[in-house]
Amino acid sequence: MKKSLSLLVAIAMVFSMFATVAAAATNTQSKYDELKAAGVFVGRDGGDAALDSELTRAEFAGIIARLTGITSDSPASFDDVPSTHWATKDINANVQNGYMQGVGGNKFAPSRNVTLQEVIAVAVRIVGLEVDEDATVDGKAGAWAQPYIAAAIEAGLIQPLSDYTANATRGDLVDVTYEVYQVLQSIAKVAGYEVVSATKVVVSFSDGGEVEVELDEPLQLGKNTITVTYNDREYQVEVDFE
C-alpha cells in the first residue's frame, strides 16, 4: 500500500527537483556555510561547524523548525519535555506538522542522539515523497524506517548505507538537509491574495502564478482559512474579509 505524506508533492515533480539541484551540491562544509547563512544551522561553541559531532533529537527539532519555518505557540506535551525546555516549542511544531514523533510512553527523548534513519524519515516527510510501506532495503535499519529509506534512495535524496541505525553526525544532517533545502526553495510560496467577493479569492504565488478560488461557503467577517491547490500542492491561506 502506498501512502502520500506531508506536503503532497507529486513524485514526478520531486524527481525533477532533485535532478535540478544535484549540480548545486558541493562539499559538506560549503553546504553548511550556505545553510548557516540561511539561518538553518548555527555553530557550536565558538561558531565551530562541528561536522563530526553527533546531535540530540532536540537539536534536530530546532534545525527542522528553522529549515521549514514551522512554529508553535505552545510547548510540547511530552512528560520528558518541560515547558521550560529550550526546544519545547520546536518539538511541538515538529509533532504538530507530522515531521517527528515521540518514542512511546508519552516520551520524546530530547537528549537522545538522533539516528540516520530518523533523519531520513523526517526528510522524506518534509519533501513529500510517496512511500511504499512494503519496501525494504539492504543495510541495517528498523522495519518502520525501511520504506522511508527506500523512498529516499529511489529519489536520489541519499546514497545507500550499510547501517541506518547509527547516530547521525552534524555533517550527515547537513548533507541531507541541503538537498531538502534546495527542494523547498524551488516550491512556490503564497505571495498574496485578493478578495474579489465573499465567494471568490485570487491567490498569487512567488513564481508569478495565480489561482482563482471559488468558495462553497462565503467568507465570514474577520479571518478565514481557505485551501488552494497549486502545482499539485495544497496551501492553507489565511484571508481577512472586511
Side-chain angles (χ1 to χ4, degrees):
M1 180 177 68
K2 289 189 175 181
K3 178 181 178 184
S4 293
L5 296 174
S6 188
L7 301 179
L8 304 179
V9 181
I11 189 67
M13 180 183 296
V14 174
F15 277 122
S16 174
M17 288 175 180
F18 279 119
T20 299
V21 302
T26 56
N27 60 57
T28 302
Q29 181 62 53
S30 61
K31 293 175 188 176
Y32 170 80
D33 292 339
E34 184 175 337
L35 292 170
K36 182 180 179 182
V40 177
F41 276 81
V42 294
R44 287 277 174 88
D45 294 340
D48 184 8
L51 298 178
D52 294 328
S53 298
E54 297 174 350
L55 68 160
T56 66
R57 281 169 52 84
E59 290 175 305
F60 182 46
I63 290 168
I64 295 306
R66 293 191 293 273
L67 170 68
T68 59
I70 57 175
T71 60
S72 173
D73 292 329
S74 57
S77 58
F78 294 101
D79 294 339
D80 57 350
V81 184
S83 60
T84 54
H85 192 288
W86 67 268
T88 185
K89 291 186 177 181
D90 290 338
I91 291 169
N92 197 41
N94 272 272
V95 173
Q96 287 178 333
N97 284 274
Y99 296 155
M100 296 184 72
Q101 302 169 348
V103 297
N106 200 39
K107 306 286 187 182
F108 185 80
S111 298
R112 198 192 76 191
N113 288 334
V114 67
T115 63
L116 288 167
Q117 61 187 11
E118 288 174 319
V119 168
I120 294 166
V122 172
V124 167
R125 292 172 187 143
I126 293 171
V127 174
L129 293 177
E130 195 165 283
V131 174
D132 182 348
E133 295 182 349
D134 296 322
T136 59
V137 295
D138 294 329
K140 186 178 179 181
W144 69 268
Q146 294 198 34
Y148 293 100
I149 296 167
I153 293 172
E154 185 178 2
L157 178 59
I158 63 166
Q159 296 298 312
L161 302 170
S162 60
D163 186 1
Y164 300 93
T165 64
N167 292 337
T169 65
R170 279 168 59 91
D172 293 329
L173 183 55
V174 164
D175 288 335
V176 176
T177 301
Y178 184 79
E179 299 297 331
V180 176
Y181 173 74
Q182 294 294 309
V183 173
L184 294 180
Q185 290 296 102
S186 65
I187 296 176
K189 300 174 179 61
V190 174
Y193 65 86
E194 177 186 359
V195 177
V196 179
S197 68
T199 56
K200 183 184 292 186
V201 178
V202 177
V203 179
S204 58
F205 293 86
S206 57
D207 63 357
E210 289 186 344
V211 174
E212 187 176 284
V213 184
E214 295 283 354
L215 303 173
D216 294 330
E217 305 238 345
L219 296 170
Q220 302 298 309
L221 291 176
K223 293 186 181 298
N224 299 258
T225 300
I226 66 172
T227 300
V228 56
T229 300
Y230 182 66
N231 287 342
D232 297 314
R233 180 172 182 259
E234 283 192 351
Y235 295 80
Q236 302 295 316
V237 183
E238 189 174 90
V239 175
D240 283 320
F241 183 59
E242 298 179 355

